[in-house]
Amino acid sequence: MRIRIMLIATRIWSIVLLALCLSGTVHAQGGDPNAGAKQLWQLIDYVAVDYGGAVANGVATSESEYAEMLDFTDNASKQAASLPAHASKAGVLAAVADLRAAVMRKADAAEVKRLAHHANALLIAAYPIPVAPKAMPNLTRGASLYAAQCAACHGAAGHGDGPLAASLDPKPIAFSDAERAQSRSLLALYQVVSQGVAGTSMASFAALPEADRWDLAFFIGGLSYDAAARKRGEKLWKDDPAVRAHFPDLAAVTTLTQEAIAAKTSVQTAHDLTAYIRSKPAEAEALKPSGLALSRARLAESLTALHAGDRATATKLGLSAYLDGFEPIEPMVGARNKSLLAAVESAMLAYRSAVADGNVAKADAVGKELMQLFTLVETELGDAKTDPMTTFVGALTILLREGVEALLIVIGIVAFLRKAQRKDVLPYVHTGWIGALAAGILTWVAATYLVTISGASREVSEGVGSVFAALVLLSVGLWMHQKSSAGRWQEYLSEKLSAAMSRRTAWSLFALSFIAVYREVFETVLFYSALAADGNGGALLGGFVAAVVLLAIIAWVLLRSSARMPIGKFFSFTSGFVAVLAVILIGKGMAALQEAGWIGVTPVSFPRVDILGVLPTAETLGAQALVLAILVAGFGFNRISAARSVKA
């Protein structure tokens, strides 16, 4: 049980990070597991748009274009067959086969288009692919990219008459062609820009950043509309709520075609509305529900999917109800009413458990409970908004709660190194916690001014960090207890510790110090950002300063008391303390990973004790029981070994 166990934990963490990085690299380099579905979607969409130019009245008007349609549907059939296994794969294969058969018999263009759209709808439902940009498109940037990358072939105005057009076969697409544009979605344009079109001069622009490709798609998608159409569309958008309902979010803007809107309204309305919303996509995204409204919507959609027997979709929507709707306001709720926050979290876990078990009755009951809790949350947020004392107390208790846990770990490491006469390793520890504070400041700047930290990212970061810290603390606790049982401390410290504590071990302590502090700083930043929204800046600052002073006093007391404690007693006491922290952190880490949807949820009848990381789920309690069992076994083994060495 030497301190080298710490290195094993650190290496495990490094392997996890490396795996995540490699995963991201694979995706960035084209190893996307959904790449086949993306290409299949593009093939089918191409048929939907271009088939009308190849066949009319059951006769091929262009043999070359009809041959292309046959080739595309043949490739689509092969691509569909190679898709990963899925419960809905058979439906996708049947839909593609129907499309292929319609093309072979030279069916009407409207029928082929309907079959193609049906096949793609089934495909996206079974093999989800990103259908909207992660950030709002920049049409000015799109215009600049088009001029640099596309105008030479497609022409400055998108008429297909660029300087290079005459030398190309087939000719470049005229993006200004209104008839073709009405059946092409922005998602289709994005896919073409990303993957190119085989057998044509349209090359892939996958080397461009994803955001640039979306900017291009949005700009190209507006080339068939003029300013007058956009102006009429703006009036429709502002005057008619029913019209706005067609574009509830950015995904609707990218996936709906003008033809699809015309089927629900009129040809002219669809034309003008599409012209406007493609030029002002932010207007659609502004309608998207957020906060508790989004939680309610996702929860209702999840229940609908569960009643329909689609557990996978119900699970995904249930996670979204928490991570996308409630989680962003969680810090604000926790700062004002911790018990209400715990009630919502418990109900969310119970709901996901019911969905996983397929228990519709229980899911309905918990869903009703959640709706009532959401109402209580709204009342809580409304009542406490302008109370400076609430802000002060919240700022004080949050920083104390989060700070003490990190402080105990860092002070424990510092006291241990001082007792061990290894002050040369202290800079690693101090660099770790100071770096964590600096990273926390950067996190606050990023969360406030640059990006929105998603709920999933927050929970995963907290969960993985807690599990890592628990593993390191587990190994340290066992090692320290072994030495406290062995006796002869001065001999051990002077002769063996220098060899055991290598540079790699020092970096392990740096990692533990950094993670222990940063996970708490990360949590505090999110809570403080929520409190800052109340506008009580003075009260917030006062609570912060008071908490910092109290933490400084606690740190001084701990360092003074540990310095005076006999070394054997110190190691014995500290090993027990570290062991308790390991049990607490493994529970908190597992809970965070449950909230992120990484591990399952099995509720059990057991008291909830947040301060100890004890939650009433089999997964969290099981993880804590395992760590506790390892500690008991390790401590027992250490005592037996010490007794044998004394007899010898």
Side-chain angles (χ1 to χ4, degrees), residues 564-637:
R564 295 176 179 177
M565 190 179 296
I567 193 166
K569 184 178 180 181
F570 169 80
F571 272 72
S572 180
F573 171 79
T574 306
S575 63
F577 168 72
V578 166
V580 171
L581 277 180
V583 175
I584 293 173
L585 287 178
I586 197 69
K588 290 186 175 182
M590 295 295 286
L593 294 177
Q594 283 180 320
E595 291 177 351
W598 277 34
I599 60 176
V601 179
T602 307
V604 296
S605 179
F606 201 85
R608 176 180 179 130
V609 187
D610 287 315
I611 194 171
L612 297 179
V614 176
L615 295 174
T617 71
E619 292 77 12
T620 55
L621 293 174
Q624 288 183 311
L626 177 61
V627 170
L628 188 59
I630 293 173
L631 286 167
V632 171
F635 282 17
F637 177 79

Side-chain angles (χ1 to χ4, degrees), residues 82-94:
S82 65
L83 288 171
H86 189 278
S88 301
K89 180 177 179 179
V92 175
L93 286 170

Side-chain angles (χ1 to χ4, degrees), residues 10 44 61 94 112 500:
T10 304
I44 295 172
T61 56
V112 169

Side-chain angles (χ1 to χ4, degrees), residues 46 51 167 284 348 366 390 408 419 478 521 541 559 565-566 633 646:
Y46 201 90
Y51 179 81
S167 62
M348 284 287 190
V366 178
T390 300
L408 290 174
K419 287 285 187 182
L478 290 170
V521 172
L541 180 60
L559 286 172
M565 190 179 296
V646 170

Side-chain angles (χ1 to χ4, degrees), residues 12-83:
I12 292 173
W13 174 250
S14 301
I15 291 170
V16 171
L17 289 180
L18 179 61
L20 291 174
C21 292
L22 288 176
S23 173
T25 303
V26 169
H27 282 238
Q29 293 176 349
D32 187 343
N34 285 329
K38 290 179 181 179
Q39 190 175 59
L40 176 57
W41 191 96
Q42 182 185 353
L43 286 170
I44 295 172
D45 185 79
Y46 201 90
V47 172
V49 175
D50 284 14
Y51 179 81
V55 175
N57 300 319
V59 177
T61 56
S62 170
E63 290 298 334
S64 61
E65 290 190 19
Y66 179 63
E68 187 178 53
M69 295 298 103
L70 290 173
D71 181 58
F72 279 177
T73 52
D74 180 53
N75 283 325
S77 299
K78 296 175 182 176
Q79 195 88 5
S82 65
L83 288 171

Side-chain angles (χ1 to χ4, degrees), residues 63-139:
E63 290 298 334
S64 61
E65 290 190 19
Y66 179 63
E68 187 178 53
M69 295 298 103
L70 290 173
D71 181 58
F72 279 177
T73 52
D74 180 53
N75 283 325
S77 299
K78 296 175 182 176
Q79 195 88 5
S82 65
L83 288 171
H86 189 278
S88 301
K89 180 177 179 179
V92 175
L93 286 170
V96 173
D98 290 343
L99 175 63
R100 168 77 171 163
V103 171
M104 292 181 68
R105 70 171 184 270
K106 298 185 179 67
D108 181 71
E111 181 184 355
V112 169
K113 189 175 297 184
R114 178 184 62 79
L115 291 171
H117 289 159
H118 174 64
N120 267 346
L122 293 177
L123 177 65
I124 290 179
Y127 302 92
I129 60 176
V131 297
K134 297 174 183 176
M136 195 56 57
N138 184 335
L139 272 72

Side-chain angles (χ1 to χ4, degrees), residues 405-424:
E405 192 171 291
L407 187 65
L408 290 174
I409 295 176
V410 174
I411 292 298
I413 298 173
V414 171
F416 159 69
L417 292 174
R418 287 181 176 179
K419 287 285 187 182
Q421 300 175 10
R422 289 303 308 267
K423 294 183 179 180
D424 57 304

Side-chain angles (χ1 to χ4, degrees), residues 214-235:
W214 275 114
D215 293 345
L216 261 175
F218 269 80
F219 177 77
I220 292 170
L223 286 173
S224 62
Y225 305 100
D226 57 21
R230 286 188 282 272
K231 188 172 182 179
R232 293 192 300 270
E234 181 179 12
K235 188 174 188 308

